[in-house]
Amino acid sequence: MESIDPATGRTLPSDAIQRVLFVASLVHVYNIPPMVPGKGHVAASWTADDNKRQIFTARLRVIETAIPVAGSTDGEEKVKTDIVLEDSSNGQLFAAAPYTAQAVVETVSDSSRFFALRVQDEAGRKASLGVGFEERSDAFDFGVSLQEAQKTLSWGNQGGGPSGKKPAALERKDSAEKRDLSLKEGETITINLPGRFGRRKPDTPPESSSGGLSSFSLPPPPSSSSSSSASRGSGILPPPPSASSVRQKRLSAQELGFDDGKFGEFA
Protein backbone atom coordinates (compact mmCIF):
# COMPACT_ATOMS: atom_id res chain seq x y z
CA MET A 1 0.00 0.00 0.00
CA GLU A 2 1.48 3.35 -1.04
CA SER A 3 1.96 6.14 1.48
CA ILE A 4 0.51 9.61 0.95
CA ASP A 5 2.02 12.82 2.22
CA PRO A 6 -0.67 14.09 4.62
CA ALA A 7 0.16 17.76 3.96
CA THR A 8 0.27 17.67 0.15
CA GLY A 9 -1.58 14.52 -0.85
CA ARG A 10 1.34 13.36 -2.96
CA THR A 11 2.71 9.86 -3.06
CA LEU A 12 5.66 9.16 -0.76
CA PRO A 13 8.62 6.86 -1.55
CA SER A 14 7.99 3.18 -1.02
CA ASP A 15 10.47 3.01 1.89
CA ALA A 16 8.83 5.91 3.79
CA ILE A 17 7.38 5.06 7.20
CA GLN A 18 4.35 6.76 8.74
CA ARG A 19 3.13 6.64 12.32
CA VAL A 20 -0.14 8.06 13.66
CA LEU A 21 0.44 9.75 17.02
CA PHE A 22 -3.13 10.90 17.70
CA VAL A 23 -6.63 10.68 16.23
CA ALA A 24 -9.76 12.62 17.23
CA SER A 25 -12.84 11.63 15.25
CA LEU A 26 -14.73 14.87 15.93
CA VAL A 27 -13.34 18.39 16.28
CA HIS A 28 -14.99 21.71 15.54
CA VAL A 29 -13.15 24.10 13.20
CA TYR A 30 -13.61 27.87 13.53
CA ASN A 31 -12.74 30.94 11.49
CA ILE A 32 -11.12 32.88 14.29
CA PRO A 33 -10.50 36.64 14.61
CA PRO A 34 -6.99 38.06 15.02
CA MET A 35 -5.32 37.52 18.38
CA VAL A 36 -6.02 40.20 20.96
CA PRO A 37 -2.77 41.87 22.13
CA GLY A 38 -2.11 41.13 25.77
CA LYS A 39 -4.89 38.51 25.98
CA GLY A 40 -4.02 35.99 23.29
CA HIS A 41 -6.74 33.89 21.70
CA VAL A 42 -10.13 33.82 23.45
CA ALA A 43 -12.34 30.85 22.67
CA ALA A 44 -15.46 32.60 23.98
CA SER A 45 -15.38 34.90 20.97
CA TRP A 46 -15.30 31.86 18.64
CA THR A 47 -18.41 30.25 20.05
CA ALA A 48 -20.39 33.48 20.56
CA ASP A 49 -23.60 34.21 18.63
CA ASP A 50 -24.61 30.55 18.42
CA ASN A 51 -21.31 29.35 16.89
CA LYS A 52 -21.50 31.60 13.87
CA ARG A 53 -17.75 31.27 13.39
CA GLN A 54 -17.81 27.47 13.11
CA ILE A 55 -17.06 26.45 9.53
CA PHE A 56 -16.47 22.70 9.61
CA THR A 57 -16.54 19.52 11.69
CA ALA A 58 -13.51 17.40 10.93
CA ARG A 59 -11.34 14.49 12.00
CA LEU A 60 -7.95 15.52 13.37
CA ARG A 61 -4.83 13.39 13.06
CA VAL A 62 -1.20 13.90 14.08
CA ILE A 63 1.01 11.95 11.67
CA GLU A 64 4.76 11.41 11.83
CA THR A 65 6.52 10.64 8.53
CA ALA A 66 10.10 9.33 8.17
CA ILE A 67 11.61 9.52 4.68
CA PRO A 68 15.09 8.02 4.03
CA VAL A 69 17.59 10.53 2.68
CA ALA A 70 18.60 9.66 -0.89
CA GLY A 71 22.23 8.58 -1.20
CA SER A 72 22.73 8.21 2.55
CA THR A 73 24.82 5.19 3.57
CA ASP A 74 24.21 5.37 7.33
CA GLY A 75 20.42 5.09 7.22
CA GLU A 76 19.76 8.78 7.82
CA GLU A 77 16.11 9.82 7.68
CA LYS A 78 14.20 13.06 7.34
CA VAL A 79 11.42 13.14 9.92
CA LYS A 80 8.46 15.51 9.92
CA THR A 81 5.14 15.80 11.73
CA ASP A 82 1.87 17.11 10.29
CA ILE A 83 -1.45 17.98 11.91
CA VAL A 84 -4.20 17.32 9.38
CA LEU A 85 -7.91 18.12 9.36
CA GLU A 86 -9.88 15.69 7.22
CA ASP A 87 -13.44 15.01 6.26
CA SER A 88 -14.46 12.23 8.61
CA SER A 89 -16.80 10.68 6.03
CA ASN A 90 -14.37 10.18 3.13
CA GLY A 91 -10.90 11.14 4.50
CA GLN A 92 -10.47 14.07 2.10
CA LEU A 93 -7.92 16.63 3.26
CA PHE A 94 -9.46 19.87 4.52
CA ALA A 95 -6.34 21.64 5.88
CA ALA A 96 -2.86 20.70 7.06
CA ALA A 97 -0.48 22.29 9.54
CA PRO A 98 3.19 21.22 9.22
CA TYR A 99 4.45 21.08 12.79
CA THR A 100 7.71 22.95 12.27
CA ALA A 101 7.62 25.07 15.45
CA GLN A 102 5.73 25.18 18.73
CA ALA A 103 3.98 28.38 17.57
CA VAL A 104 2.03 26.29 15.02
CA VAL A 105 -0.29 25.24 17.89
CA GLU A 106 -1.25 27.87 20.47
CA THR A 107 -3.48 27.50 23.51
CA VAL A 108 -6.30 29.89 24.34
CA SER A 109 -6.58 31.91 27.53
CA ASP A 110 -10.02 30.76 28.66
CA SER A 111 -10.32 27.04 27.88
CA SER A 112 -8.27 23.84 27.81
CA ARG A 113 -10.31 22.32 24.95
CA PHE A 114 -9.59 24.93 22.28
CA PHE A 115 -6.44 25.64 20.25
CA ALA A 116 -5.37 28.01 17.50
CA LEU A 117 -3.85 26.08 14.59
CA ARG A 118 -1.69 27.67 11.89
CA VAL A 119 -2.40 25.81 8.65
CA GLN A 120 -0.46 26.08 5.38
CA ASP A 121 -1.20 25.08 1.78
CA GLU A 122 1.19 23.82 -0.91
CA ALA A 123 1.89 27.37 -2.08
CA GLY A 124 3.09 28.34 1.42
CA ARG A 125 0.11 30.54 2.27
CA LYS A 126 -0.77 30.47 5.96
CA ALA A 127 -3.93 31.02 7.94
CA SER A 128 -5.04 30.54 11.54
CA LEU A 129 -7.99 28.29 12.34
CA GLY A 130 -9.52 27.44 15.68
CA VAL A 131 -10.12 23.83 16.69
CA GLY A 132 -12.21 22.71 19.63
CA PHE A 133 -12.45 19.26 21.20
CA GLU A 134 -15.66 18.09 22.80
CA GLU A 135 -13.84 16.24 25.59
CA ARG A 136 -11.01 17.51 27.76
CA SER A 137 -9.39 14.08 27.66
CA ASP A 138 -9.03 14.38 23.86
CA ALA A 139 -7.45 17.80 24.23
CA PHE A 140 -5.02 16.41 26.80
CA ASP A 141 -4.04 13.49 24.56
CA PHE A 142 -3.53 15.95 21.71
CA GLY A 143 -1.03 17.89 23.83
CA VAL A 144 0.79 14.69 24.80
CA SER A 145 1.17 13.70 21.14
CA LEU A 146 2.73 17.09 20.39
CA GLN A 147 5.24 16.58 23.20
CA GLU A 148 6.15 13.19 21.75
CA ALA A 149 6.61 14.79 18.33
CA GLN A 150 8.95 17.39 19.83
CA LYS A 151 11.15 14.64 21.26
CA THR A 152 11.22 12.81 17.93
CA LEU A 153 12.14 16.01 16.12
CA SER A 154 14.94 16.62 18.66
CA TRP A 155 13.63 20.02 19.69
CA GLY A 156 14.55 19.50 23.35
CA ASN A 157 13.65 22.47 25.54
CA GLN A 158 14.06 24.96 22.72
CA GLY A 159 11.12 26.65 21.08
CA GLY A 160 12.62 26.62 17.59
CA GLY A 161 12.01 24.31 14.71
CA PRO A 162 13.22 20.75 14.24
CA SER A 163 16.64 19.77 13.05
CA GLY A 164 15.08 18.21 9.94
CA LYS A 165 17.22 15.08 9.84
CA LYS A 166 17.54 12.20 12.22
CA PRO A 167 19.65 9.04 11.96
CA ALA A 168 16.76 6.88 13.09
CA ALA A 169 18.12 3.70 11.55
CA LEU A 170 21.35 4.04 13.47
CA GLU A 171 19.48 4.62 16.71
CA ARG A 172 17.38 1.52 16.14
CA LYS A 173 20.51 -0.46 15.36
CA ASP A 174 22.29 0.73 18.50
CA SER A 175 19.31 -0.07 20.69
CA ALA A 176 18.96 -3.53 19.14
CA GLU A 177 22.64 -4.36 19.49
CA LYS A 178 23.40 -3.30 23.03
CA ARG A 179 26.65 -4.67 24.30
CA ASP A 180 26.51 -7.24 27.08
CA LEU A 181 28.86 -5.91 29.76
CA SER A 182 27.93 -8.42 32.43
CA LEU A 183 30.67 -10.64 33.92
CA LYS A 184 30.75 -14.21 32.71
CA GLU A 185 31.33 -17.12 35.05
CA GLY A 186 34.92 -17.16 36.28
CA GLU A 187 35.70 -13.60 35.19
CA THR A 188 37.04 -11.08 37.68
CA ILE A 189 37.83 -7.39 37.69
CA THR A 190 40.95 -5.86 39.22
CA ILE A 191 40.73 -2.23 40.30
CA ASN A 192 43.82 -0.22 41.20
CA LEU A 193 42.89 2.64 43.47
CA PRO A 194 45.21 5.64 44.00
CA GLY A 195 47.25 5.85 47.20
CA ARG A 196 44.98 8.43 48.70
CA PHE A 197 42.22 5.85 48.79
CA GLY A 198 44.40 3.34 50.70
CA ARG A 199 43.99 2.32 54.30
CA ARG A 200 44.42 5.27 56.60
CA LYS A 201 46.92 5.11 59.42
CA PRO A 202 45.53 5.60 62.90
CA ASP A 203 46.07 9.08 64.16
CA THR A 204 48.76 9.41 66.86
CA PRO A 205 47.23 10.82 70.04
CA PRO A 206 48.80 14.11 71.11
CA GLU A 207 51.33 14.00 73.93
CA SER A 208 49.83 14.84 77.28
CA SER A 209 51.27 17.86 79.11
CA SER A 210 51.24 18.62 82.79
CA GLY A 211 49.58 21.90 82.05
CA GLY A 212 46.71 20.17 80.38
CA LEU A 213 46.12 17.80 83.31
CA SER A 214 46.59 20.45 85.97
CA SER A 215 43.57 22.28 84.70
CA PHE A 216 41.47 19.26 85.61
CA SER A 217 43.17 18.44 89.04
CA LEU A 218 41.40 19.12 92.33
CA PRO A 219 42.76 21.92 94.54
CA PRO A 220 44.60 20.88 97.80
CA PRO A 221 42.63 20.84 101.05
CA PRO A 222 42.83 24.06 103.06
CA SER A 223 45.21 24.28 106.09
CA SER A 224 43.96 24.40 109.69
CA SER A 225 44.79 28.08 110.05
CA SER A 226 43.03 28.97 106.86
CA SER A 227 40.08 26.82 107.87
CA SER A 228 39.82 28.50 111.31
CA SER A 229 40.06 31.94 109.77
CA ALA A 230 37.54 30.90 107.18
CA SER A 231 35.25 29.67 109.93
CA ARG A 232 35.59 32.96 111.75
CA GLY A 233 34.98 34.89 108.66
CA SER A 234 32.00 32.81 107.82
CA GLY A 235 30.29 33.47 111.23
CA ILE A 236 30.33 29.86 112.50
CA LEU A 237 30.92 29.49 116.30
CA PRO A 238 33.99 27.49 117.40
CA PRO A 239 33.43 24.22 119.30
CA PRO A 240 33.19 24.39 123.16
CA PRO A 241 36.42 23.75 125.12
CA SER A 242 37.06 20.34 126.64
CA ALA A 243 36.98 19.65 130.44
CA SER A 244 40.71 19.10 130.68
CA SER A 245 41.46 22.45 129.13
CA VAL A 246 39.01 24.09 131.52
CA ARG A 247 40.74 22.51 134.53
CA GLN A 248 44.12 23.62 133.35
CA LYS A 249 42.96 27.15 132.88
CA ARG A 250 41.04 27.33 136.20
CA LEU A 251 43.21 29.10 138.92
CA SER A 252 42.95 28.46 142.60
CA ALA A 253 41.67 31.09 145.06
CA GLN A 254 45.09 31.46 146.53
CA GLU A 255 46.61 32.14 143.17
CA LEU A 256 44.04 34.80 142.62
CA GLY A 257 44.99 36.54 145.92
CA PHE A 258 42.06 35.42 148.08
CA ASP A 259 42.37 34.22 151.66
CA ASP A 260 42.53 30.48 152.05
CA GLY A 261 40.29 30.61 155.14
CA LYS A 262 42.84 30.87 157.91
CA PHE A 263 41.84 34.40 158.89
CA GLY A 264 38.08 33.76 158.94
CA GLU A 265 35.28 35.44 157.18
CA PHE A 266 34.99 39.07 156.42
CA ALA A 267 32.69 40.93 158.91
Side-chain angles (χ1 to χ4, degrees):
M1 181 178 179
E2 63 181 9
S3 301
I4 305 297
D5 190 334
T8 61
R10 298 176 182 176
T11 303
L12 293 172
S14 58
D15 52 356
I17 300 175
Q18 286 186 322
R19 186 165 65 109
V20 179
L21 304 181
F22 174 75
V23 177
S25 58
L26 184 64
V27 296
H28 303 288
V29 184
Y30 300 89
N31 179 18
I32 62 177
M35 183 175 59
V36 179
K39 291 185 178 180
H41 295 283
V42 181
S45 62
W46 306 352
T47 58
D49 299 331
D50 197 18
N51 284 337
K52 286 185 178 181
R53 288 188 172 273
Q54 183 176 350
I55 57 176
F56 192 63
T57 300
R59 177 181 65 187
L60 185 147
R61 291 196 300 164
V62 180
I63 303 174
E64 177 187 282
T65 304
I67 304 174
V69 177
S72 176
T73 58
D74 56 359
E76 191 175 12
E77 297 176 340
K78 181 179 180 180
V79 181
K80 69 169 188 168
T81 302
D82 297 285
I83 305 169
V84 295
L85 299 173
E86 303 168 326
D87 190 340
S88 57
S89 60
N90 53 22
Q92 184 178 359
L93 179 65
F94 174 75
Y99 194 49
T100 56
Q102 294 184 9
V104 172
V105 180
E106 296 179 329
T107 58
V108 300
S109 59
D110 58 343
S111 177
S112 61
R113 296 186 296 111
F114 291 81
F115 300 87
L117 187 65
R118 189 178 66 192
V119 298
Q120 182 177 338
D121 61 6
E122 293 187 47
R125 294 173 297 185
K126 300 177 181 179
S128 294
L129 297 177
V131 293
F133 296 91
E134 292 191 346
E135 300 293 336
R136 285 187 174 85
S137 58
D138 292 337
F140 176 79
D141 293 340
F142 175 63
V144 171
S145 67
L146 296 181
Q147 293 178 3
E148 183 177 355
Q150 294 173 14
K151 294 179 182 179
T152 304
L153 297 172
S154 302
W155 289 5
N157 294 329
Q158 300 177 356
S163 59
K165 294 183 179 181
K166 173 188 175 183
L170 291 179
E171 292 182 0
R172 289 194 295 267
K173 183 179 179 180
D174 292 341
S175 61
E177 299 179 359
K178 290 184 177 179
R179 296 178 60 188
D180 185 9
L181 300 178
S182 60
L183 292 177
K184 305 300 186 294
E185 184 177 359
E187 293 182 348
T188 58
I189 294 179
T190 302
I191 301 176
N192 295 324
L193 298 177
R196 62 191 182 93
F197 291 103
R199 187 183 301 273
R200 294 183 59 186
K201 295 182 180 181
D203 297 335
T204 304
E207 296 182 359
S208 61
S209 61
S210 59
L213 294 178
S214 62
S215 61
F216 294 97
S217 61
L218 296 175
S223 61
S224 58
S225 60
S226 60
S227 61
S228 61
S229 60
S231 62
R232 287 195 299 269
S234 60
I236 302 176
L237 295 176
S242 61
S244 60
S245 62
V246 172
R247 283 194 301 268
Q248 292 176 359
K249 293 180 180 181
R250 180 179 300 172
L251 299 177
S252 62
Q254 190 177 3
E255 291 177 349
L256 294 177
F258 293 99
D259 190 7
D260 58 356
K262 294 180 179 181
F263 297 99
E265 298 292 337
F266 289 98

